[in-house]
Structure formats: C-alpha cells, structure tokens
Amino acid sequence: MARVPSAVVAATGLVGGYGVARWTKKRQLGGAVLAVAGAAAAQQWRQQPGGKAAGALGAAYVAAFAGSHPLAKKVGAWPSVLGVAGAVALASWAVADRKA
C-alpha cells in the first residue's frame, strides 16, 4: 500500500478541519479532524527526518492553525486556510517528503 506523503496529511488536516467545523457547525468535530491529521503527520515526521524536525513541523502546524484566524480577517476564511495549508505542506515536503 502506498504511503500518503506527510505534506498531504498535514494540509488535509488544516483544510479538512476547517471544512468539517464550518459545514457541521461543530467546532469540536473540526478540531478532532485537525488533531488526528496532525498526529498522523507528526508520526511520519518523527520517522522520516527525526525528532527535531518533527518538533519544528509540529510547531508550524499549530502556528498555521492559529495564524489562519487573524489572516482570515484580512483575506477571507477559505483563502487563509488554503494559504496556511499550502505553507505547511511546502515545509513538510521540503523537510520530510522530498527525499522519501
């Protein structure tokens, strides 16, 4: 079975978490999606580039989630979420997935 790249997992967690929260009107459910995908990506980050990189990418994931909120006030919700998801995916690909 092919492994899903960590960049895809992380971006899907950010976009999917927001989408689930918005469409179900249950923020906790969106948070669960965000957390599960973040944990799955973090597991891959620990296995591939190691603990320090996993810590940095995990911090980027959390910062992207937090940063999307004030950014959304300037550019809109979906552009904000897609932008931060793209940034995290790019960082994850560069650090963890590029060599795999």
Side-chain angles (χ1 to χ4, degrees):
M1 185 170 181
R3 182 185 67 81
V4 177
S6 63
V8 173
V9 175
T12 301
L14 290 161
V15 173
Y18 174 70
V20 167
R22 180 171 177 150
W23 288 315
T24 64
K25 307 234 186 291
K26 296 187 186 303
R27 294 179 77 182
Q28 300 86 349
L29 193 55
V33 171
L34 180 80
V36 167
Q43 182 178 6
Q44 287 183 313
W45 294 331
R46 276 192 304 277
Q47 291 172 352
Q48 291 165 3
K52 287 184 182 181
L57 289 168
Y61 186 80
V62 172
F65 168 70
S68 70
H69 292 82
L71 182 60
K73 292 179 182 179
K74 297 184 186 295
V75 300
W78 277 113
S80 173
V81 170
L82 294 173
V84 300
V88 168
L90 181 61
S92 181
W93 174 81
V95 173
D97 297 330
R98 181 173 42 165
K99 296 175 185 173

